[in-house]
Amino acid sequence: MAPNKTIETVKEKVNGVLSKYPVIDEPLQKVSENLKIDKAFIVIAIAVAVPIILYHLYTGGSLVIDLIGFLYPVYASIKAIESPADGDDTLWLTYWLVFSFFKIIEGPADFLLHYIPFYQPIKAAFLVWCYYPKTQGAKVIYASVVKPYLVPHLGLKAAAKKED
């Protein structure tokens, strides 16, 4: 069978299965139109990616976890730099500060951390909590740890609050 024919056959089968489940098919169609990628390819990518991600999450896949803490924040940081507003810059600068401290502390503590059950998924959840716009966990950590304990030792005086 020619490669193009095989691809078309797989696409037809995937689309046939999706058509039986409109709850999945309709939102996937919208995503497909936005991304300009055939929905069958999106389903295949998810079907391949999910087991790989799960494998790495539960077997110490620190690369995947680091990508979770890195890829979206890089995208959002670039977007913030290019936007005229200052509030988003502060949000992402705060995230990178907390992320850096976390990585610095995690390095020497790694010999202990790998004994914690489900450490990798916990780490992934923590990183997402830090950058997720609705939780803004990095701001919470900055306000409760960095500002009261580190800023005074740096000889910095509290500046007037910037408008976000």
Side-chain angles (χ1 to χ4, degrees):
M1 205 185 270
N4 288 341
K5 181 69 174 164
T6 304
I7 291 170
E8 288 303 317
T9 303
V10 170
K11 282 174 53 176
E12 288 173 12
K13 288 183 180 182
V14 169
N15 286 328
V17 170
L18 287 173
S19 66
K20 295 177 185 175
Y21 302 99
V23 173
I24 297 170
D25 190 40
E26 291 169 7
L28 192 59
Q29 182 64 36
K30 290 178 185 174
V31 170
S32 172
E33 290 168 1
N34 286 339
L35 295 176
K36 296 177 178 49
I37 299 173
D38 191 295
K39 63 184 175 184
F41 291 137
I42 295 172
V43 170
I44 292 167
I46 291 170
V48 169
V50 167
I52 291 170
I53 290 170
L54 288 175
Y55 171 77
H56 285 288
L57 278 173
Y58 292 103
T59 60
S62 62
L63 173 64
V64 174
I65 304 302
D66 286 342
L67 289 175
I68 288 171
F70 188 77
L71 288 178
Y72 176 75
V74 164
Y75 164 76
S77 296
I78 292 169
K79 191 174 164 186
I81 290 168
E82 296 300 323
S83 79
D86 287 338
D88 52 358
D89 295 356
T90 303
L91 171 69
W92 291 107
L93 188 58
T94 304
Y95 170 78
W96 288 114
L97 178 80
V98 170
F99 180 81
S100 299
F101 278 132
F102 178 73
K103 293 301 284 182
I104 289 168
I105 292 167
E106 183 187 38
D110 188 50
F111 72 97
L112 294 173
L113 295 174
H114 78 272
Y115 289 111
I116 298 173
F118 303 108
Y119 172 68
Q120 295 296 343
I122 292 168
K123 177 181 169 184
F126 169 74
L127 292 172
V128 170
W129 174 77
C130 281
Y131 68 69
Y132 189 62
K134 293 192 191 249
T135 59
Q136 296 184 2
K139 281 187 172 182
V140 172
I141 292 172
Y142 183 84
S144 60
V145 177
V146 176
K147 191 170 186 173
Y149 297 107
L150 183 61
V151 171
H153 296 291
L154 296 175
L156 301 173
K157 293 181 181 177
K161 177 78 173 140
K162 292 183 197 175
E163 293 296 322
D164 287 339

